[in-house]
Amino acid sequence: MEKHHHEKKTLWVVLLTAVTMVVEIIYGIITNSMALLADGIHMGSHVLAIGLSWLAYVLVRRLSASGTFKGESKKILSLSGYSSGLMLLIFALVIMVEAIERIFHPTDIVYKEAILVAIIGLFVNIASAFLLHHDHEHSDHNIRAAYLHVIADALTSLTAIIGLTAAMKWDIPFIDTVAAIISSLVIIKWSVGLLKDSGAALLDLPGSHEHHHHH
């Protein structure tokens, strides 16, 4: 039953995040804010990632119910975590390249709207983190991946808010770009960690469970 409970919560987080992400990406484009766009894309990778973990739950439940599946269902969860990590890495690199181009071709940013949307994003992330936190089990790569995604999201939202506010105050669009780059560095760090952990679990390497606690 308790696994089923995970599924429901995870699905809610996916839906919440998906809506916010669309808003952030659209406004990131409208307001020309690189940091907001980075935040939105970052969220998008999480919608995919958390969506994957939700699917993994459903799969594991179906397969363990069918009884014909003799493999290790944990592997599915690790694979889902691994795919998430890979996607995050790709997104981060895309944002990085975009942001670096933006340094050479600065654009005008509609600050007030961008900041407002980033704040909404932050609240959604915090709400999602609370939803997921109660299910925070170390044995479960999946909920852990989803939880980390949401926390990482809250951080990029925060970076975007701070970056945009500073850029608006002193009229330096460059800060927005720097915020986007910082965000992508954070994403890269998370994704590499996730790839290491889930990869180790996939390959049954010793130590795949020991270093769960580090960030």
Side-chain angles (χ1 to χ4, degrees), residues 9 13 123-136 147 150-151:
K9 277 192 171 178
V13 172
F123 277 109
V124 171
N125 295 144
I126 293 169
S128 305
F130 275 113
L131 270 174
L132 289 171
H133 189 63
H134 306 296
D135 304 336
H136 199 176
Y147 182 67
V150 172
I151 294 291

Side-chain angles (χ1 to χ4, degrees), residues 21 38 41-55 78-95 142 145 149 184 187-188 190-192 194-195 198:
M21 154 202 109
I41 288 175
H42 188 185
M43 271 204 163
S45 60
H46 296 182
V47 172
L48 283 168
I50 302 169
L52 264 177
S53 22
W54 178 72
L55 271 176
S78 302
L79 188 60
S80 152
Y82 192 80
S83 323
S84 308
L86 212 52
M87 281 188 291
L88 271 177
L89 197 55
I90 295 164
F91 282 120
L93 295 171
V94 171
I95 294 170
N142 222 14
H149 279 299
S184 35
I187 306 171
I188 290 171
W190 287 104
S191 54
V192 171
L194 197 56
L195 287 173
S198 47

Side-chain angles (χ1 to χ4, degrees), residues 2-203:
E2 170 247 10
K3 270 273 184 271
H4 195 65
H5 182 58
H6 281 328
E7 262 176 54
K8 275 223 165 58
K9 277 192 171 178
T10 314
L11 183 62
W12 268 109
V13 172
V14 170
L15 296 174
L16 249 177
T17 316
V19 174
T20 317
M21 154 202 109
V22 172
V23 172
E24 287 199 344
I25 291 176
I26 292 170
Y27 273 95
I29 295 166
I30 294 174
T31 60
N32 250 326
S33 162
M34 198 61 222
L36 190 59
L37 189 61
D39 197 24
I41 288 175
H42 188 185
M43 271 204 163
S45 60
H46 296 182
V47 172
L48 283 168
I50 302 169
L52 264 177
S53 22
W54 178 72
L55 271 176
Y57 273 126
V58 178
L59 266 173
V60 169
R61 202 188 57 198
R62 290 265 165 83
L63 291 172
S64 43
S66 73
T68 46
F69 181 67
K70 290 282 176 283
E72 212 189 322
S73 55
K74 273 260 160 53
K75 284 273 201 295
I76 299 178
L77 301 185
S78 302
L79 188 60
S80 152
Y82 192 80
S83 323
S84 308
L86 212 52
M87 281 188 291
L88 271 177
L89 197 55
I90 295 164
F91 282 120
L93 295 171
V94 171
I95 294 170
M96 201 74 127
V97 172
E98 267 293 296
I100 291 167
E101 279 180 7
R102 193 58 82 79
I103 291 176
F104 300 106
H105 310 284
T107 45
D108 289 327
I109 302 168
V110 187
Y111 293 112
K112 289 207 165 61
E113 282 182 22
I115 293 169
L116 185 68
V117 175
I119 291 172
I120 295 169
L122 181 63
F123 277 109
V124 171
N125 295 144
I126 293 169
S128 305
F130 275 113
L131 270 174
L132 289 171
H133 189 63
H134 306 296
D135 304 336
H136 199 176
E137 296 164 26
H138 285 300
S139 61
D140 191 336
H141 268 293
N142 222 14
I143 242 353
R144 175 169 172 268
Y147 182 67
L148 291 187
H149 279 299
V150 172
I151 294 291
D153 249 351
L155 287 174
T156 41
S157 293
L158 204 57
T159 313
I161 295 167
I162 295 168
L164 284 166
T165 309
M168 176 172 75
K169 233 182 153 68
W170 301 306
D171 194 28
I172 311 171
F174 178 68
I175 301 177
D176 175 69
T177 312
V178 174
I181 293 176
I182 293 171
S183 297
S184 35
L185 286 173
V186 172
I187 306 171
I188 290 171
K189 188 180 180 316
W190 287 104
S191 54
V192 171
L194 197 56
L195 287 173
K196 273 192 191 142
D197 271 3
S198 47
L202 277 175
L203 302 170

